[in-house]
Amino acid sequence: MIAVAALPLAAGLSGTDFNDPAKLAAGFWVAMTTAAGVSFAAALLAWTTIGDDALSQPAADTKPRAKQLPPTLQRHCAVAGTPLATSPHPPPRSHPPTAKES
């Protein structure tokens, strides 16, 4: 929401400038360049400051979990990523085998 309010001001757009197509077109490119620069700076900041060791270190007050779940309980979320362990059962076939697959 801050970007929605701040980008037009950074591009020099205010009040009646939104009614003038030439000023709006010129301000669009300034706003997009500004947004790209800020996004690049944020990505660079995140890349340099966020470490990948956060998940490898256990918290001080946690108990260790079991290494592997039984096959009947192995589940995964397709949105979060691939399964951590392979399933002991092959996936069901969606069609009968063809001559090439047999």
Side-chain angles (χ1 to χ4, degrees):
M1 296 305 290
I2 293 173
V4 172
L7 274 177
L9 294 176
L13 296 173
S14 64
T16 60
D17 293 340
F18 293 104
N19 295 331
D20 184 9
K23 288 182 181 179
L24 192 59
F28 174 80
W29 292 109
V30 173
M32 291 301 107
T33 304
T34 303
V38 170
S39 296
F40 180 76
L44 186 62
L45 178 68
W47 184 57
T48 57
T49 58
I50 298 175
D52 61 349
D53 61 342
L55 296 177
S56 63
Q57 299 174 356
D61 60 345
T62 59
K63 297 178 184 177
R65 290 186 164 184
K67 296 281 186 200
Q68 186 174 0
L69 293 173
T72 57
L73 296 177
Q74 291 178 359
R75 304 281 188 259
H76 75 281
C77 175
V79 175
T82 58
L84 298 175
T86 58
S87 174
H89 307 290
R93 297 182 69 91
S94 60
H95 59 82
T98 61
K100 290 181 181 180
E101 294 176 351
S102 297

